[in-house]
Every structure is written in C-alpha cells, then in structure tokens.
Amino acid sequence: MAHHRCPDALPASLFLTLILAPSVRLQMAGASLVVPAAARQRVYNKVRNCCFGMIAMSPSVITLSHGDALLVVDVQNDFLPGGRLAVGSGDEVVPVLNRYIDVFVAQRLPVYATRDWHPPDHCSFTPQGGAWPAHCIAGSNGAQFAPRLHLPRSTVVVSKAMHSKRDAYSGFDGTRLEHALQRNGVGRLFVGGLATDYCVLNTVRDALKQGFTVCLLVDAIRAVNVDPDDGMRAEGEMCRLGAHPVVFRDLAA
C-alpha cells in the first residue's frame, strides 16, 4: 500500500497527556488539586488551537494525489441539532466538509460516506436495552444525509449497523469499505464527520489497523461528549495511534 507524507503529528503530543489522563491533578505545596472538567476544556481548547496553528505553519503542505480519498462519517439528520441523537454543534461540520468535498471533486478524487442504517428494533436502542434513543432508522428522514452536505453523485455510500442484533460504530465493521478502498487504490484517507468519540474514533482505529494512512480533519469533527472529556480523549487516542491532525488550510491550493 502506498505511503504518503502528512503533516507531522508531533504537535498533538503537547496535549495528549491532558486528554488521555482520566483525571488531572496539580501538586501544589503538598496539596492535591483536581482540575475541573470545565477548566480542562478551556485549557484544551487553547492548547489545541495553538497546536493546529503550528501545524498550519508547517512547511509540510499536503498535496493531494492519486491514492487519496475523503471519508465522511455519519453526517445524518438525526445527529444534527433537532435530531433524535443530536451532536452538539454537529451542523458546524457541514460547511467545512463541503470545502473538502469541493477540493476532492475538483481533483477527481473519490469521496466515501458512511451512514447508520438501522432497523426499527436495533440492539443499540433503549427499548431493546441499548444505550441510545432510536435514530437513523433505514429510510427515515433522520437517516438521510444532511441536506446542506454537498455529496457528489459519485459518492460511494457505505451503510452500517443494518442488523437488529449487531451494532457497528466503525465504517469498516461488517461492510465492504476496506474492499472498495483497496480496489480503487486508496492508500490515504482524510476522515471527518460525526461523532468524534464514537463512529469517527472507531473508523479511524480500523483504518489504521488495515494499514491506511489517516489524516484526521480536526476542523470537521464534533463529539457527543456523554462525559465532558470524551471528545478530547478520542482525538488524543487517534493521534497517538498514528492519525495526523489536519485543517483545511493545510491543503495545497
């Protein structure tokens, strides 16, 4: 599989400890102080923005080429504000992803899009003992892609979690995504969408396991944050596993 150069993920290591630690304690004058989640979030946001600024100033500008593909994860109505399982500010990823889509389409590079496509009695739903309210039921409006998401007609749509008794957070789980990517000679994936701490995280994990180079579109992801730090930890884990954090301005004009 071809290997491509991405921006160095090293700046992300500046905040991995903050993200991945289950709790953060400061030792001051012999006393132990637990840093509240809200304060951690503020510090994380400042350091995160600083790190992404460092990436953007890096001379390693990304030039897209044959073997690159864009993977849009689960940008569906039920995950947007007003949906059955809304991700906070989830709609903010749509205009950013549209910019990426325009670039990939202009360079005739493939676009893939995953979607939850659940039966009405899916095991992840609370009536069946699952953790989530019913969402993204196959054929429903909630399962449709965001209407303002400009997916091209050539988009390869990958449906997942279609069987009642099996859940799947990863776009690779129980699908033919890996086969489709390999058949089209894809070696590097640019991944964005919803939600950072579930389907994006698990899709990136599996992509890396399968040997793909992964560029994580950090300006085009948002988290559910069942626990306040979930999104931060997920971003940190993806970087630690080898994903390269990327923002739109990193792409060569």
Side-chain angles (χ1 to χ4, degrees):
M1 183 172 295
H3 292 281
H4 302 262
R5 178 173 175 78
C6 280
D8 191 350
L10 182 60
S13 65
L14 296 175
F15 60 93
L16 289 183
T17 301
L18 175 66
I19 298 168
L20 296 175
S23 63
V24 175
R25 294 178 179 271
L26 299 179
Q27 298 293 331
M28 300 178 63
S32 179
L33 174 65
V34 177
V35 180
R40 290 182 65 190
Q41 182 71 53
R42 288 194 295 271
V43 173
Y44 166 78
N45 287 338
K46 290 181 179 179
V47 177
R48 184 179 188 268
N49 291 339
C50 176
C51 290
F52 296 155
M54 292 169 65
I55 293 170
M57 292 185 292
S58 168
S60 302
V61 175
I62 300 174
T63 300
L64 297 176
S65 62
H66 176 73
D68 291 335
L70 177 63
L71 178 57
V72 177
V73 177
D74 295 8
V75 183
Q76 297 168 265
N77 288 329
D78 271 345
F79 296 132
L80 302 181
R84 292 184 173 185
L85 186 51
V87 175
S89 303
D91 54 332
E92 293 178 356
V93 306
V94 174
V96 183
L97 285 169
N98 283 339
R99 297 177 71 190
Y100 285 106
I101 290 169
D102 288 345
V103 171
F104 276 76
V105 170
Q107 299 199 31
R108 298 184 179 181
L109 295 172
V111 176
Y112 297 78
T114 67
R115 63 181 182 182
D116 275 0
W117 203 246
H118 298 312
D121 60 346
H122 192 253
C123 61
S124 70
F125 298 165
T126 49
Q128 280 69 48
W132 309 112
H135 63 279
C136 296
I137 295 173
S140 69
N141 180 66
Q144 304 306 312
F145 292 116
R148 294 185 179 180
L149 183 67
H150 300 157
L151 291 172
R153 291 185 178 181
S154 59
T155 299
V156 178
V157 176
V158 178
S159 300
K160 58 186 175 66
M162 296 186 292
H163 304 291
S164 297
K165 296 184 179 180
R166 180 177 178 181
D167 203 1
Y169 289 118
S170 168
F172 290 89
D173 189 352
T175 73
R176 294 184 61 79
L177 177 58
E178 181 186 1
H179 174 76
L181 294 171
Q182 291 179 342
R183 182 184 60 202
N184 290 329
V186 174
R188 181 168 64 171
L189 279 175
F190 291 73
V191 183
L194 303 171
T196 307
D197 38 352
Y198 287 93
C199 293
V200 172
L201 171 61
N202 284 277
T203 298
V204 167
R205 279 176 179 162
D206 283 352
L208 291 167
K209 286 179 183 177
Q210 299 302 328
F212 294 97
T213 297
V214 175
C215 291
L216 178 65
L217 308 180
V218 293
D219 51 351
I221 55 176
R222 295 294 184 276
V224 175
N225 281 329
V226 172
D227 292 322
D229 294 342
D230 284 351
M232 294 190 294
R233 281 196 291 266
E235 286 188 47
E237 179 178 344
M238 287 184 279
C239 291
R240 179 177 57 80
L241 291 173
H244 303 275
V246 170
V247 293
F248 183 77
R249 61 180 175 266
D250 291 330
L251 300 185

